[in-house]
Amino acid sequence: MYENRNTATVSVPAPQSPAGGVTAPRPSSDPASQPSTSGRPGTRVTVRQRAGALVSRFIAFTSRTQSPYQAAVIRIGYGFFFACYLLREWPNRRVLFGDHNPWSLTMARTLTADTHAFTVLTWSGGRWWFELVYHGAIAAAVLLMLGWRTRATAVLFLVGVLAIENRSPFAGDAGDDIIRIMAVYLAFTRCGQVWSLDARRRGPQAGDTRNDRTGAALWLTLGPPLMWASCVHWDGWLGIFWVMWGLQGLWFALNLWAPRHAMRSLLDSGAAMLHNCAMLVIAAQVCLIYASAGLYKSQGTKWQDGSAVYYAMHLDLFRPWPWLTDLVSGNMLLVFLLCYATVIMQISFPFTLMYRKVKNVLLAVMILEHIGIAVVLGIPFLSLAMIVSDLVFLPTALLIWSEGRCAVLVRLVRERHGRYRGEQCLQGA
């Protein structure tokens, strides 16, 4: 037989051991007979290994939910952010977003018709409709933060965010723009797999999850309002909500009557891939925010000479504590370093994602910077929105460790409370 045209091979029987087994041939001392690690056969093995690794990663990306802890963190953070924002503006809600708004309903309808922005507050100018939408948005934010039926509450949270923010587009700041963008991506994630009431409901002690009457009742309850909105005020967003509603209903039906059907597995795989794509887009959006902000700052003369922070600290709107602002702005070297450090960190942040240790250090520094901006300049909601967005890059090991520490703390509190109750009972006896 022949391996190549000009190279003949001869098969030689292996030497037998005294016990009848096959002994391994001794390695040859001839370097030419040793297998090459840099030749063509080794290259083929390396290519196959890389191809196999890429295929396995692609299969994991399309079939398994990635980054569940990071999704839970941003779910809790964005829900907390929007709930606190609406509660803070509750005394002035009618002036900012309601029927007393200087940005009249006619002006809002004209703007949304030109920009194709979605808001349900332009459907009616009555106070009852505004109060229903405003307090419903607060309830959706709280339920999303707790992780109750996140498939539905994430969509309701998106409706509430778009309704409030697009009703008065000039009443907010950059933090509102961030939450408006991230709420769209969050609606496509599986953000309730950990640290949520949904995860507790699906825990090891849960019963038969196929007979989910509460989920089916919630799904049926959302159908008539969606039908009414489609008949009265049709919008492209309603088509997206119809697709979500229909797919969720199909999943409920398959989960109840055909849990082992291939279509149910296909829906689960599609939801996992959609979650992974949404998390990837959230990370890319954060990088885009930092890169564009840093490049834009680098073109300004005030940031180039290091005086931009100084002038910002002397605006009346950004001086919640004048003594603290004067203390920071009085040191010109510190102001100069803050200007250049901000620009350098924002531009370099997307490139540090390839180096885990550098990324973690820079992430901690940027979170501390946002905390400083919230305290010194008095813009807490913008800083909170950016901090929550930064948390998507936290290491999974750190989040799991935090979960374990919190579980230990809760167990200690329960034990101490149980001992205290027992002592009270003994004293009462």
Side-chain angles (χ1 to χ4, degrees), residues 194-210:
V194 296
W195 300 348
S196 65
L197 296 178
D198 290 347
R200 184 177 181 179
R201 176 171 50 86
R202 295 190 299 261
Q205 297 180 354
D208 188 7
T209 58
R210 291 184 298 174

Side-chain angles (χ1 to χ4, degrees), residues 94-110:
R94 298 180 65 187
V95 177
L96 292 175
F97 311 106
D99 51 341
H100 293 171
N101 192 349
W103 188 257
S104 65
L105 184 62
T106 303
M107 298 169 65
R109 286 174 176 173
T110 303

Side-chain angles (χ1 to χ4, degrees), residues 361-392:
V361 173
L362 186 60
L363 187 62
V365 174
M366 296 184 74
I367 291 176
L368 292 176
E369 181 189 15
H370 290 308
I371 295 175
I373 292 173
V375 175
V376 177
L377 299 181
I379 42 179
F381 287 100
L382 172 60
S383 301
L384 179 59
M386 289 309 304
I387 289 175
V388 174
S389 302
D390 292 341
L391 296 182
V392 74

Side-chain angles (χ1 to χ4, degrees), residues 110-417:
T110 303
L111 182 62
T112 54
D114 294 337
T115 60
H116 303 284
F118 176 78
T119 172
V120 299
L121 288 179
T122 58
W123 295 357
S124 175
R127 181 182 177 182
W128 67 271
W129 177 247
F130 166 72
E131 297 289 352
L132 177 64
V133 173
Y134 193 89
H135 293 87
I138 296 176
V142 173
L143 292 176
L144 181 67
M145 181 176 59
L146 297 176
W148 184 80
R149 305 290 173 177
T150 53
R151 279 296 185 190
T153 53
V155 178
L156 296 176
F157 176 76
L158 171 61
V159 173
V161 169
L162 295 180
I164 299 298
E165 300 298 338
N166 292 332
R167 174 60 178 87
S168 300
F170 305 107
D173 53 13
D176 302 325
D177 296 333
I178 294 172
I179 193 66
R180 188 185 310 164
I181 296 172
M182 297 303 182
V184 178
Y185 304 145
L186 191 64
F188 296 95
T189 63
R190 285 180 165 180
C191 54
Q193 288 197 340
V194 296
W195 300 348
S196 65
L197 296 178
D198 290 347
R200 184 177 181 179
R201 176 171 50 86
R202 295 190 299 261
Q205 297 180 354
D208 188 7
T209 58
R210 291 184 298 174
N211 192 14
D212 188 6
R213 296 181 179 179
T214 305
L218 181 61
W219 175 77
L220 290 174
T221 303
L222 295 176
L226 188 58
M227 177 64 71
W228 171 80
S230 302
C231 296
V232 179
H233 303 278
W234 174 256
D235 189 88
W237 279 95
L238 295 177
I240 299 176
F241 296 149
W242 270 117
V243 172
M244 292 181 176
W245 189 82
L247 290 177
Q248 186 64 31
L250 179 61
W251 187 90
F252 274 127
L254 292 174
N255 188 53
L256 179 61
W257 292 306
R260 297 183 179 181
H261 196 272
M263 181 60 69
R264 185 184 182 277
S265 301
L266 181 62
L267 289 177
D268 290 338
S269 299
M273 184 175 64
L274 198 61
H275 163 89
N276 297 332
C277 292
M279 293 298 295
L280 186 61
V281 172
I282 289 175
Q285 183 69 48
V286 176
C287 294
L288 181 62
I289 291 173
Y290 279 125
S292 58
L295 292 174
Y296 185 79
K297 288 183 177 67
S298 63
Q299 300 175 6
T301 57
K302 299 302 180 184
W303 287 94
Q304 292 177 3
D305 60 22
S307 60
V309 176
Y310 175 84
Y311 287 109
M313 289 182 179
H314 284 77
L315 296 175
D316 294 335
L317 294 176
F318 302 107
R319 291 173 62 87
W321 292 279
W323 62 271
L324 180 60
T325 307
D326 295 336
L327 179 64
V328 176
S329 61
N331 191 339
M332 294 306 300
L333 179 60
L334 178 60
V335 173
F336 180 83
L337 293 177
L338 287 175
C339 287
Y340 271 80
T342 300
V343 175
I344 293 173
M345 286 190 300
Q346 289 182 347
I347 295 177
S348 62
F349 179 75
F351 302 99
T352 60
L353 299 179
M354 296 179 291
Y355 306 97
R356 183 176 302 177
K357 294 182 179 180
V358 179
K359 182 261 297 182
N360 293 337
V361 173
L362 186 60
L363 187 62
V365 174
M366 296 184 74
I367 291 176
L368 292 176
E369 181 189 15
H370 290 308
I371 295 175
I373 292 173
V375 175
V376 177
L377 299 181
I379 42 179
F381 287 100
L382 172 60
S383 301
L384 179 59
M386 289 309 304
I387 289 175
V388 174
S389 302
D390 292 341
L391 296 182
V392 74
F393 298 104
L394 284 180
T396 305
L398 177 62
L399 296 175
I400 296 176
W401 177 84
S402 302
E403 179 185 19
R405 296 297 94 190
C406 292
V408 172
L409 180 61
V410 170
R411 185 167 61 252
L412 290 177
V413 171
R414 288 181 177 178
E415 291 177 356
R416 290 182 180 180
H417 181 69

